[in-house]
Amino acid sequence: MTLAYVEAAECLSEPVNREPPSREAQILTLQNTSEFDVLVIGGGATGCGCALDAVTRGLKTALVERDDFSSGTSSRSTKLIHGGVRYLQKAIMKLDIEQYKMVKEALHERANLLEIAPHLSAPLPIMLPVYKWWQLPYYWVGIKLYDLVAGSNCLKSSYILSKSRALEHFPMLQKDRLVGAIVYYDGQHNDARMNLAIALTAARYGAATANYMEVLSLLKRTDPQTGKEHVSGARCKDVLTGQEFDVRAKCVINATGPFTDTVRKMDDKDATVICQPSAGVHIVMPGYYSPESMGLLDPATSDGRVIFFLPWQKMTIAGTTDTPTNITNHPIPSEDDINFILNEVRNYLSCDVEVRRGDVLAAWSGIRPLVIDPNSADTQSISRNHVVDISESGLITIAGGKWTTYRSMAEDTINAAIKAHNLKAGPSRTVGLFLQGGKDWSPTLYIRLVQDYGLESEVAQHLAATYGDKAFEVAKMASVTGKRWPIVGVRLVSEFPYIEAEVKYGIKEYACTAVDMISRRTRLAFLNVQAAEEALPRIVELMGRELNWDDSKKEEELETARKFLYYEMGYKSRSEQLTDRSEISLLPSDIDRYKKRFHKFDADQKGFITIVDVQRVLENINIQMDENTLHEILNEVDLNKNGQVELNEFLQLMSAIQKGRVSGSRLAILMKTAEENLDRRVPIPVDRSCGGL
């Protein structure tokens, strides 16, 4: 696939910085520059896209973000790069030319994004199962039109599958009444890493970009000729140090997503509210719930919403919901939304597959900032496209849109800024412009990592797919394992390919907190919150060493990251599946069986078991286990946190497991296997199984 119009990017010289400058250097640039041409507020996909578009046109550019790059909506998407199949359907049914143009634009941007960041994105086939004969030609025509609108940017042609072929490709699909299926192609990406790649590319081209830089107020100057006030910069605060200073600019761009109206009211306290926030919840389940390379689209859920069911990072991602919400820095996935998604998944999967609540490994909520165009006559109509608004004082706001079209949104915004503020700049040059890591990446790059550095193949593939041609820099930092193989690359947790060297490298990529590391430099928090919590102490230790954190700072980072996992990544929902108020609904025969198992550990008939009891049983079958690990295993079930597991707590656990509310309990698996092996004296597996929420 070759993009048209790539000559714009070819006009650019090489980036001014071989590597992005440090955060400290960027802050000094912000402080010491008398005036920028453009100051962008917001470090999501759109804000970073604006900074990259501006700096590559030769404009002196700054970007500030209150939290971390991609900390909001841009890291909490469905991970799709898509044109919008359902928007095309609406465009045709309602003869809506605007919807059609939006799909056409998104399909061009989809092709561009796959081209400029090939390491972070790839085409993904998505199956649309059909359960009524009349739907087959209806959906087929719609999907073929999708291909047709894409034109030369079509990834691969869609096709029809018979019932038997559909089940071959997606064996866990509900087969009753299945007529066949249609498969079409969209793109998929690692959203937070993509956002970061845009920010790093802008920094390499000379933009002064700084995360954890909050805008306290907008600066204004009065035009001596007209007497009108114009926005001329912002008063900023370094969140990490508390230092405040002014950043002056000819033009200020508001690209703050859900917080659009907050900045607009800094400019004009009477500004009308244009953002209509909508919460989208996603869940992550084990990879065995979906084929490795085939997604699923449910076009008509029980309440009319669309649900995607997609393989992602060797897991399965399902979502999204679409419900009105309040704007917050810390959106929390609700149990109702999680159960809604699970119920829809059950409708599409075979009854042979038990969809368990306990198999939810992570869950998150993202706020989609739908907008009402302030210049529209019909103020009630919510725009599905983006809106560029210029206030009387010259503040430029870019709002709405979607991930896929971030680049064209940025281009439109900078075009408007150039016109409104008489800036001297050329045309946009971001079509075909490789993002950091993409230029020298190839599908076989990981083989060189294995051969040159002695990394595991899985780790090498992960590094190549995350950092592209910068993966070699991470490999150079990797620690020696002391094993025959792999030679280097100590993992943070056993079941994921993230290695300790990525923590060190993540700091070079502007990671400032443990949350940055577990959620956006690596994606552990989005894949499995228990694994993320397990990796936290080591991550904090490594970051503390690099950033000179004292013990109190390390404790603070651990506590903040655990709260993030608990509230924002679904750990709270997990804990609510097993509380001291949980019902015990077991058959009498089951209760007797579990009591016998419990008493094999509680040999003294105390009514509870401790670490000492578990160690005694393990010694009987010749197993040694670290005391800290045993403490973690018991703590998962110790509801009243008194250092011991009572019989009642154990029965609650087994009841929750039977109902599917909890899965992969290490204590339950350990006790069952120990019981089976007490006489045989065979080693027992104790690794976490799935680690469900």
Side-chain angles (χ1 to χ4, degrees):
M1 177 183 62
T2 306
L3 279 173
Y5 312 117
V6 293
E7 64 270 14
E10 290 168 359
C11 297
L12 272 177
S13 58
E14 284 298 303
V16 295
N17 301 307
R18 177 177 169 78
E19 295 299 329
S22 68
R23 181 175 182 273
E24 291 72 22
Q26 297 283 43
I27 290 172
L28 283 174
T29 303
L30 288 173
Q31 288 176 306
N32 297 331
T33 302
S34 57
E35 187 179 50
F36 289 95
D37 293 317
V38 172
L39 168 63
V40 182
I41 305 172
T46 305
C48 291
C50 287
L52 180 58
D53 191 283
V55 76
T56 51
R57 296 192 197 204
L59 296 170
K60 195 180 292 184
T61 305
L63 179 144
V64 293
E65 159 60 44
R66 175 176 57 185
D67 203 302
D68 184 28
F69 301 114
S70 195
S71 58
T73 308
S74 296
S75 64
R76 302 167 190 246
S77 73
T78 312
K79 322 303 178 196
L80 284 177
I81 310 169
H82 63 114
V85 173
R86 67 185 187 275
Y87 296 145
L88 182 62
Q89 180 191 25
K90 290 176 183 176
I92 294 167
M93 300 293 285
K94 298 181 180 179
L95 298 176
D96 188 334
I97 192 68
E98 288 303 314
Q99 293 264 21
Y100 171 80
K101 286 179 180 176
M102 184 178 71
V103 175
K104 182 82 174 171
E105 175 189 58
L107 289 170
H108 175 266
E109 294 302 322
R110 178 187 72 176
N112 182 62
L113 200 45
L114 290 167
E115 182 93 354
I116 64 177
H119 58 305
L120 291 169
S121 59
L124 176 72
I126 300 175
M127 181 182 290
L128 200 163
V130 179
Y131 289 92
K132 294 177 182 174
W133 280 107
W134 67 266
Q135 289 178 335
L136 203 58
Y138 175 76
Y139 287 139
W140 173 242
V141 169
I143 294 297
K144 270 301 167 191
L145 280 171
Y146 193 58
D147 290 351
L148 193 64
V149 173
S152 61
N153 293 323
C154 180
L155 302 180
K156 291 183 182 179
S157 290
S158 55
Y159 54 90
I160 291 180
L161 290 174
S162 65
K163 176 179 178 177
S164 60
R165 292 283 289 160
L167 292 170
E168 277 180 37
H169 284 79
F170 211 115
M172 54 286 293
L173 196 61
Q174 170 68 260
K175 63 183 81 170
D176 296 341
R177 298 181 291 104
L178 183 68
V179 171
I182 298 165
V183 176
Y184 73 97
Y185 285 80
D186 259 327
Q188 189 178 50
H189 69 153
N190 187 338
D191 53 2
R193 294 291 322 181
M194 185 75 81
N195 193 157
L196 188 62
I198 302 166
L200 293 169
T201 307
R204 288 183 64 209
Y205 274 98
T209 58
N211 56 352
Y212 293 99
M213 189 64 63
E214 182 179 7
V215 169
L216 301 175
S217 60
L218 297 177
L219 305 177
K220 293 191 176 182
R221 60 174 173 78
T222 304
D223 188 318
Q225 294 180 333
T226 63
K228 287 181 65 177
E229 281 193 326
H230 291 277
V231 174
S232 60
R235 179 72 176 173
C236 296
K237 175 184 176 182
D238 185 339
V239 174
L240 303 181
T241 65
Q243 183 184 20
E244 294 183 17
F245 54 89
D246 292 339
V247 178
R248 299 198 174 273
K250 295 172 185 173
C251 168
V252 176
I253 294 172
N254 171 19
T256 53
F259 300 96
T260 293
D261 290 318
T262 304
V263 177
R264 292 178 77 246
K265 286 182 180 293
M266 283 184 186
D267 173 37
D268 175 8
K269 67 180 189 315
D270 297 320
T272 55
V273 173
I274 64 170
C275 185
Q276 304 288 307
S278 171
V281 170
H282 295 81
I283 62 173
V284 167
M285 305 174 79
Y288 55 69
Y289 272 96
S290 65
E292 196 173 318
S293 56
M294 178 74 76
L296 185 77
L297 167 65
D298 178 355
T301 62
S302 56
D303 67 353
R305 293 181 283 192
V306 171
I307 289 282
F308 285 99
F309 192 63
L310 311 166
W312 184 66
Q313 303 280 307
K314 298 188 177 179
M315 296 294 183
T316 301
I317 183 171
T320 177
T321 60
D322 186 10
T323 50
T325 187
N326 295 320
I327 295 171
T328 172
N329 286 326
H330 308 288
I332 298 171
S334 74
E335 188 62 26
D336 286 346
D337 282 331
I338 291 170
N339 283 319
F340 168 78
I341 295 170
L342 286 173
N343 286 332
E344 294 304 323
V345 168
R346 288 186 185 101
N347 291 338
Y348 270 83
L349 295 191
S350 166
C351 55
D352 296 337
V353 180
E354 184 187 355
V355 179
R356 304 180 298 181
R357 173 62 183 81
D359 281 340
V360 177
L361 307 176
W364 68 86
S365 176
I367 300 177
R368 185 181 179 196
L370 300 174
V371 292
I372 296 171
D373 187 342
N375 301 312
S376 171
D378 177 12
T379 55
Q380 297 305 309
S381 61
I382 293 179
S383 172
R384 294 286 168 179
N385 211 331
H386 61 269
V387 170
V388 179
D389 176 58
I390 305 173
S391 74
E392 286 191 15
S393 58
L395 175 69
I396 296 181
T397 295
I398 171 67
K402 58 182 181 178
W403 225 120
T404 307
T405 58
Y406 85 91
R407 193 213 62 82
S408 63
M409 292 167 65
E411 181 181 341
D412 289 351
T413 306
I414 302 303
N415 285 343
I418 290 168
K419 185 177 179 182
H421 294 275
N422 298 314
L423 304 176
K424 300 289 184 273
S428 176
R429 292 172 171 175
T430 50
V431 173
L433 176 67
F434 279 107
L435 299 182
Q436 170 144 314
K439 189 174 183 181
D440 295 320
W441 174 87
S442 75
T444 56
L445 182 144
Y446 79 94
I447 297 173
R448 286 171 54 202
L449 291 170
V450 175
Q451 294 175 336
D452 294 354
Y453 294 94
L455 288 159
E456 289 175 84
S457 182
E458 185 188 12
V459 170
Q461 287 174 322
H462 152 67
L463 293 181
T466 303
Y467 305 95
D469 58 31
K470 299 292 181 185
F472 296 99
E473 295 179 19
V474 185
K476 286 173 188 173
M477 295 179 174
S479 306
V480 175
T481 64
K483 301 176 184 176
R484 184 186 62 79
W485 189 263
I487 298 168
V488 300
V490 178
R491 294 193 183 211
L492 287 167
V493 281
S494 59
E495 68 266 49
F496 288 95
Y498 299 108
I499 60 174
E500 291 183 355
E502 293 181 78
V503 178
K504 199 172 186 179
Y505 192 79
I507 292 168
K508 290 178 65 175
E509 296 182 322
Y510 305 132
C512 300
T513 70
V515 171
D516 297 344
M517 202 65 71
I518 60 174
S519 59
R520 293 174 287 274
R521 301 310 179 280
T522 71
R523 304 312 306 275
L524 264 176
F526 283 80
L527 295 169
N528 188 319
V529 292
Q530 280 187 277
E533 186 186 43
E534 204 172 284
L536 263 178
R538 183 59 179 157
I539 287 172
V540 169
E541 183 185 337
L542 291 166
M543 291 188 78
R545 194 181 301 164
E546 293 295 317
L547 297 171
N548 299 315
W549 290 345
D550 59 22
D551 288 344
S552 64
K553 175 62 175 173
K554 289 178 186 176
E555 271 305 312
E556 180 190 331
E557 285 293 323
L558 272 172
E559 184 62 26
T560 301
R562 283 172 177 150
K563 278 184 180 176
F564 169 78
L565 292 173
Y566 186 76
Y567 290 106
E568 295 184 52
M569 301 310 299
Y571 222 147
K572 180 175 185 289
S573 293
R574 173 197 182 273
S575 67
E576 287 171 351
Q577 302 307 305
L578 184 64
T579 68
D580 53 12
R581 296 183 301 278
S582 299
E583 292 179 10
I584 298 174
S585 53
L586 294 167
L587 295 172
S589 57
D590 287 333
I591 291 176
D592 288 341
R593 180 158 52 95
Y594 294 137
K595 278 183 177 179
K596 285 176 185 174
R597 183 176 300 169
F598 186 84
H599 290 312
K600 285 188 184 295
F601 285 77
D602 179 23
D604 302 328
Q605 303 291 302
K606 305 181 299 295
F608 60 85
I609 58 175
T610 64
I611 288 176
V612 174
D613 295 318
V614 178
Q615 281 176 325
R616 177 182 50 77
V617 173
L618 293 181
E619 284 170 7
N620 285 340
I621 53 176
N622 301 319
I623 290 295
Q624 297 293 321
M625 190 177 295
D626 176 70
E627 191 171 319
N628 288 333
T629 304
L630 280 176
H631 177 74
E632 285 177 17
I633 290 172
L634 263 68
N635 196 49
E636 290 174 7
V637 186
D638 180 13
L639 301 173
N640 54 17
K641 305 304 176 192
N642 62 356
Q644 56 198 35
V645 175
E646 282 90 10
L647 174 60
N648 201 51
E649 290 172 326
F650 179 66
L651 292 176
Q652 286 173 27
L653 169 67
M654 301 314 296
S655 178
I657 288 172
Q658 275 199 10
K659 289 181 177 178
R661 295 202 310 264
V662 170
S663 68
S665 164
R666 288 187 283 179
L667 181 66
I669 292 170
L670 184 146
M671 290 179 71
K672 179 186 178 193
T673 320
E675 180 184 48
E676 292 169 351
N677 287 279
L678 270 171
D679 295 328
R680 286 181 288 164
R681 303 291 193 269
V682 216
I684 63 171
V686 294
D687 288 343
R688 179 175 62 249
S689 168
C690 295
L693 285 180

